Tab-separated table of all heavy atoms in Angstrom:
chain	number	residue	atom	x	y	z
A	557	ILE	N	58.514	95.828	139.660
A	557	ILE	CA	57.300	96.058	140.234
A	557	ILE	C	57.037	95.217	141.526
A	557	ILE	O	57.065	94.030	141.350
A	557	ILE	CB	56.018	95.934	139.305
A	557	ILE	CG1	56.240	96.856	138.070
A	557	ILE	CG2	54.699	96.047	139.996
A	557	ILE	CD1	55.997	98.354	138.421
A	558	GLY	N	56.745	95.797	142.643
A	558	GLY	CA	56.652	95.042	143.899
A	558	GLY	C	55.264	95.037	144.495
A	558	GLY	O	54.784	94.158	145.001
A	559	GLU	N	54.505	96.205	144.128
A	559	GLU	CA	53.195	96.374	144.811
A	559	GLU	C	52.346	97.173	143.754
A	559	GLU	O	52.951	98.109	143.240
A	559	GLU	CB	53.254	96.985	146.132
A	559	GLU	CG	51.853	97.141	146.727
A	559	GLU	CD	52.124	97.709	148.132
A	559	GLU	OE1	53.110	97.602	148.840
A	559	GLU	OE2	51.103	98.299	148.737
A	560	VAL	N	51.037	96.811	143.667
A	560	VAL	CA	50.203	97.531	142.801
A	560	VAL	C	48.954	97.948	143.424
A	560	VAL	O	48.299	97.134	144.069
A	560	VAL	CB	49.930	96.698	141.507
A	560	VAL	CG1	48.992	97.493	140.545
A	560	VAL	CG2	51.196	96.361	140.638
A	561	SER	N	48.446	99.054	143.181
A	561	SER	CA	47.082	99.547	143.596
A	561	SER	C	46.492	100.209	142.431
A	561	SER	O	47.124	101.235	141.880
A	561	SER	CB	47.297	100.637	144.738
A	561	SER	OG	46.093	101.144	145.090
A	562	ILE	N	45.424	99.657	141.957
A	562	ILE	CA	44.717	100.328	140.876
A	562	ILE	C	43.318	100.829	141.220
A	562	ILE	O	42.586	100.172	141.859
A	562	ILE	CB	44.510	99.212	139.800
A	562	ILE	CG1	45.894	98.645	139.293
A	562	ILE	CG2	43.795	99.760	138.558
A	562	ILE	CD1	45.720	97.413	138.253
A	563	ARG	N	43.194	102.030	140.692
A	563	ARG	CA	41.887	102.679	140.858
A	563	ARG	C	41.428	103.137	139.538
A	563	ARG	O	42.189	103.451	138.760
A	563	ARG	CB	41.932	103.902	141.874
A	563	ARG	CG	42.291	103.501	143.255
A	563	ARG	CD	42.378	104.773	144.161
A	563	ARG	NE	43.173	105.788	143.600
A	563	ARG	CZ	43.229	107.058	143.853
A	563	ARG	NH1	42.232	107.530	144.752
A	563	ARG	NH2	43.967	107.966	143.346
A	564	HIS	N	40.101	103.322	139.428
A	564	HIS	CA	39.542	103.780	138.140
A	564	HIS	C	38.563	104.836	138.411
A	564	HIS	O	37.970	104.897	139.546
A	564	HIS	CB	39.007	102.670	137.390
A	564	HIS	CG	37.967	101.843	137.814
A	564	HIS	ND1	36.817	101.551	137.180
A	564	HIS	CD2	37.895	101.302	139.170
A	564	HIS	CE1	36.064	100.809	137.960
A	564	HIS	NE2	36.584	100.548	139.104
A	565	ALA	N	38.260	105.606	137.453
A	565	ALA	CA	37.205	106.685	137.534
A	565	ALA	C	36.395	106.837	136.292
A	565	ALA	O	36.934	106.470	135.174
A	565	ALA	CB	37.866	108.008	137.892
A	566	ILE	N	35.154	107.332	136.345
A	566	ILE	CA	34.356	107.574	135.271
A	566	ILE	C	33.929	109.057	135.348
A	566	ILE	O	33.582	109.592	136.311
A	566	ILE	CB	33.257	106.580	135.256
A	566	ILE	CG1	32.653	106.615	133.875
A	566	ILE	CG2	32.386	106.839	136.306
A	566	ILE	CD1	31.465	105.618	133.515
A	567	THR	N	34.057	109.751	134.140
A	567	THR	CA	33.626	111.095	133.969
A	567	THR	C	32.851	111.141	132.679
A	567	THR	O	33.153	110.394	131.723
A	567	THR	CB	34.769	112.072	133.969
A	567	THR	OG1	35.779	111.723	133.056
A	567	THR	CG2	35.540	111.982	135.469
A	568	ALA	N	32.090	112.042	132.564
A	568	ALA	CA	31.278	112.417	131.321
A	568	ALA	C	32.224	112.976	130.170
A	568	ALA	O	32.021	112.743	129.117
A	568	ALA	CB	30.039	113.242	131.578
A	569	ALA	N	33.124	113.893	130.630
A	569	ALA	CA	34.096	114.595	129.821
A	569	ALA	C	35.411	114.430	130.384
A	569	ALA	O	35.680	114.216	131.518
A	569	ALA	CB	33.749	116.004	129.599
A	570	ALA	N	36.455	114.551	129.503
A	570	ALA	CA	37.893	114.157	129.775
A	570	ALA	C	38.317	115.293	130.922
A	570	ALA	O	39.304	114.965	131.769
A	570	ALA	CB	38.730	114.328	128.680
Side-chain angles (χ1 to χ4, degrees):
I557 299 292
E559 184 177 332
V560 176
S561 173
I562 300 177
R563 298 182 304 158
H564 58 132
I566 188 169
T567 58

